[in-house]
Amino acid sequence: MNRIIVLMVILASITFNMGTVAASESDTMGLSPPVFFILFLGISTIIGIVAVLAGVGGGVIFTPLMMGFTPIDGLIIRGTGLFVAMTGALVAARPFLRRGLANIRLLYFAAVPYATSAVIGALLAVYIKETMGVTGEALIRLALGIIVILISLLFIFAGNRIEYPEVKKVDKFTERVGLAMAYWEESVGRVVSYQVTRSWVGLILFSGVGLISGLFGLGAGWAMVPVLNLVMMAPLKVAAASSKVLIGIGDTAAIWPYIMQGTIFPLFAVPCMIGLVVGTIIGAKIMLKVKAGFVRYLIIGIMFISGARLIMQSLGMLGYI
Amino acid sequence: MVEKPPKPPLSGIVYGEIAYWIVLTGMVISIIGIAMYLSTESNYIDSSCLLSGLWNGADSGTIWKECAGGYEEGNWYLKRLSSGDGVAMLGIALSCLAAVFGVWGSVISMLKSREYIFIVLAFIVAVILTASATGLISLKH
């Protein structure tokens, strides 16, 4: 199974590089719209499968990979990246809310700063594109490249998450807001009641994560889960479930400035959306049969290369290379 | 004594159900639309021109200008529902409205709970999403 995944990733990278070659030749390499549709459906399905196996959301891989290895315009990719991250999160939210795993109080508490700054990030993305042209695009690619490399380092060095963090003291602000809840833990057959703390730190961090998500068209699970689990001390399952639901809300706020600006094209957005959703479903099914550790390092490698490529592109656009 | 699973909050279930079914409906509509787009000639944005624009790194403004004669601001697809791309974009937009309707449904179902802080927070989120979706928050030209 591991060999199949490696083969799929190699095929995808070859396809991406074909895209880059095509850009330099300024033609479509004989691609017709149906072939383009199937090509991106396949690539997105692979991204979805690999992302699930590596334990990350598809959105965080989609945008840097597409921006680094395809000739498609950056603003179009970032808008589409937000759209695919949003649809995936909305589809996944339902079971988490039905089982009470996602903390609805925590959700609305975090959604206010997250959605607000995500909209600001999206507006900023459009503004930079319109006013700064190539320089703006270069700066966005440079910043995204650095962020993607930092995320890959985060995956390596901050991988230790706590299943049931122990909250020794709840600060007054968090206590007054009242974010404590309980859920049924199927694996141990009992109710887990939990507290959270440092919610004011969470507010600041959610604002930063929202801005990055809206500006760069990234999913935000990579940052949201550590904030909820390691900073606010929510149980890991609650953090993962709440983060997924929160992405659906925050990215909805951020996607509309992109739609209003006409940067979402169905020919590109629909195959990517179907591919990521289908890939996520397939990935979840084969997850039990493969060693995920290997895939996780593969994803970290891909993200590192994408980040480096984005930085190289930006330096080229700025005339430094 | 055997513990019973706690009842999940109604506002969460309402949000999850509304968002799920709307996004699913939107996805189905967008798939129907894209099938029409790829199989018929009656499209608003010429598919070959769009593909060429995308593959050559053109920005959205250039693509709209070259492939559709200019961009109609905002919800252009509502006037183009006889075309494949209009239907596909309607599906995409509907998917992007799923959370907006979901949060409003959640706010209404919260009213009975008397958790005033969270009613206010959910209301603020609903207003932000609605303002974004209606174009109230956007860059004016």
Side-chain angles (χ1 to χ4, degrees), chain A residues 297-319:
Chain A
Y297 282 106
L298 191 71
I299 282 285
I300 289 167
I302 290 171
M303 287 184 74
F304 207 86
I305 293 166
S306 302
R309 193 172 163 86
L310 282 167
I311 292 171
M312 297 289 281
Q313 283 176 346
S314 73
L315 294 177
M317 288 163 94
L318 291 168

Side-chain angles (χ1 to χ4, degrees), chain B residues 11 15 19 31 38 40 45-46 65 79 103-104 130 132 141:
Chain B
S11 52
Y15 168 78
I31 291 168
L38 294 173
T40 63
I45 309 168
D46 178 64
K65 200 174 172 185
K79 295 176 201 161
V103 173
W104 277 114
T130 308
S132 179
H141 297 281

Side-chain angles (χ1 to χ4, degrees), chain A residues 25 77 88 93 112 116 138 153 158-159 166-167 201 205 230 260 263 285 290 310 313:
Chain A
E25 290 177 1
I77 290 175
V112 174
T116 307
L153 292 176
E166 191 187 339
V167 179
V201 183
L205 293 174
L230 301 176
M260 292 295 178
T263 63
K285 286 196 173 171
V290 295
L310 282 167
Q313 283 176 346

Side-chain angles (χ1 to χ4, degrees), chain A residues 22 26-28 31 36 71 73 94 98 105 108 116 130 178 181 190-191 249 252-253 256 259-262 273, chain B residues 3 8-9 15 17 20 27 30 51 55-58 64 71 96 99 106 115 118 128-129 132-133 137 139 141:
Chain A
S26 292
D27 59 31
T28 59
L31 281 183
F36 177 86
D73 177 65
R94 188 182 177 221
R98 280 175 83 115
R105 294 176 187 163
Y108 286 127
T116 307
E130 287 191 346
M181 276 192 89
R190 68 175 176 89
V191 175
I249 296 174
T252 295
W256 282 97
I259 292 179
M260 292 295 178
Q261 211 61 27
M273 178 256 305
Chain B
E3 277 187 310
Y15 168 78
E17 292 297 319
Y20 179 81
M27 285 166 78
S30 65
L51 175 57
W55 210 246
N56 290 310
W64 278 103
Y71 179 54
C96 296
S106 182
E115 291 184 302
F118 299 104
I128 294 168
L129 296 190
S132 179
I137 306 174
L139 286 178
H141 297 281

Side-chain angles (χ1 to χ4, degrees), chain A residues 18-19 22-23 25-29 31-34 36-37 39-40 71-73 75-76 83 86-87 90-91 93-94 97-100 104-106 108-109 111-112 115-116 119 123-124 126-127 129-130 176-179 181-184 189-191 245 248-250 252-257 259-271 273-274 277, chain B residues 2-6 8-9 11-13 15-17 19-21 23-24 26-27 30-31 34 37-38 45 47-48 50-61 63-64 71-77 85-86 88-89 91-100 102-103 106-107 110 115 117-118 120-122 124-125 128-129 132-135 137-139 141:
Chain A
M18 278 166 60
E25 290 177 1
S26 292
D27 59 31
T28 59
M29 285 186 70
L31 281 183
S32 64
F36 177 86
F37 179 90
L39 182 69
F40 279 88
I72 299 170
D73 177 65
L75 195 67
I76 295 172
F83 173 65
M86 182 207 70
T87 45
L90 287 170
V91 170
R94 188 182 177 221
L97 290 158
R98 280 175 83 115
R99 289 168 56 197
I104 195 80
R105 294 176 187 163
L106 198 53
Y108 286 127
F109 176 78
V112 174
T116 307
V119 175
L123 291 174
L124 202 59
V126 175
Y127 180 77
K129 179 78 182 178
E130 287 191 346
R176 194 168 282 185
V177 178
L179 298 170
M181 276 192 89
Y183 72 97
W184 178 256
R190 68 175 176 89
V191 175
V245 182
I249 296 174
T252 295
I255 189 77
W256 282 97
I259 292 179
M260 292 295 178
Q261 211 61 27
T263 63
I264 307 281
F265 294 100
L267 182 62
F268 181 49
V270 175
M273 178 256 305
I274 302 168
V277 171
Chain B
V2 181
E3 277 187 310
K4 277 188 179 175
S11 52
I13 296 174
Y15 168 78
E17 292 297 319
Y20 179 81
W21 288 110
V23 81
L24 221 60
M27 285 166 78
S30 65
I31 291 168
I34 206 72
Y37 187 62
L38 294 173
I45 309 168
S47 59
S48 300
L50 170 61
L51 175 57
S52 175
L54 286 173
W55 210 246
N56 290 310
D59 62 26
S60 57
I63 292 174
W64 278 103
Y71 179 54
E72 292 175 25
E73 290 284 320
N75 304 310
W76 58 269
Y77 47 90
D85 43 356
M89 195 60 213
I92 290 172
L94 191 61
S95 299
C96 296
L97 282 173
V100 184
V103 173
S106 182
V107 171
M110 261 183 168
E115 291 184 302
I117 293 178
F118 299 104
V120 172
L121 289 175
I124 293 169
V125 174
I128 294 168
L129 296 190
S132 179
T134 52
I137 306 174
S138 66
L139 286 178
H141 297 281

Side-chain angles (χ1 to χ4, degrees), chain A residues 94-274:
Chain A
R94 188 182 177 221
F96 295 140
L97 290 158
R98 280 175 83 115
R99 289 168 56 197
L101 256 182
N103 181 333
I104 195 80
R105 294 176 187 163
L106 198 53
L107 278 176
Y108 286 127
F109 176 78
V112 174
Y114 179 58
T116 307
S117 52
V119 175
I120 294 169
L123 291 174
L124 202 59
V126 175
Y127 180 77
I128 289 170
K129 179 78 182 178
E130 287 191 346
T131 57
M132 294 174 72
V134 177
T135 311
E137 180 67 21
L139 292 175
I140 289 277
R141 281 175 191 264
L142 180 66
L144 181 60
I146 293 167
I147 288 171
V148 167
I149 288 175
L150 289 176
I151 294 171
S152 59
L153 292 176
L154 185 79
F155 286 156
I156 298 170
F157 297 112
N160 295 330
R161 291 165 187 177
I162 314 163
E163 202 160 350
Y164 301 107
E166 191 187 339
V167 179
K168 288 179 181 157
K169 194 185 172 199
V170 180
D171 60 280
K172 277 189 180 173
F173 176 71
T174 310
E175 201 170 355
R176 194 168 282 185
V177 178
L179 298 170
M181 276 192 89
Y183 72 97
W184 178 256
E185 178 53 70
E186 199 74 50
S187 61
V188 289
R190 68 175 176 89
V191 175
V192 174
S193 299
Y194 60 91
Q195 298 268 10
V196 293
T197 186
R198 295 195 286 258
S199 55
W200 60 275
V201 183
L203 279 180
I204 298 165
L205 293 174
F206 286 127
S207 302
V209 175
L211 194 72
I212 291 172
S213 183
L215 180 56
F216 298 110
L218 291 174
W222 57 272
M224 209 85 82
V225 178
V227 171
L228 290 166
N229 181 232
L230 301 176
V231 178
M232 295 179 71
M233 310 296 269
L236 187 56
K237 277 191 182 175
V238 173
S242 301
S243 139
K244 203 73 178 167
V245 182
L246 204 46
I247 290 169
I249 296 174
D251 287 359
T252 295
I255 189 77
W256 282 97
Y258 286 94
I259 292 179
M260 292 295 178
Q261 211 61 27
T263 63
I264 307 281
F265 294 100
L267 182 62
F268 181 49
V270 175
C272 294
M273 178 256 305
I274 302 168

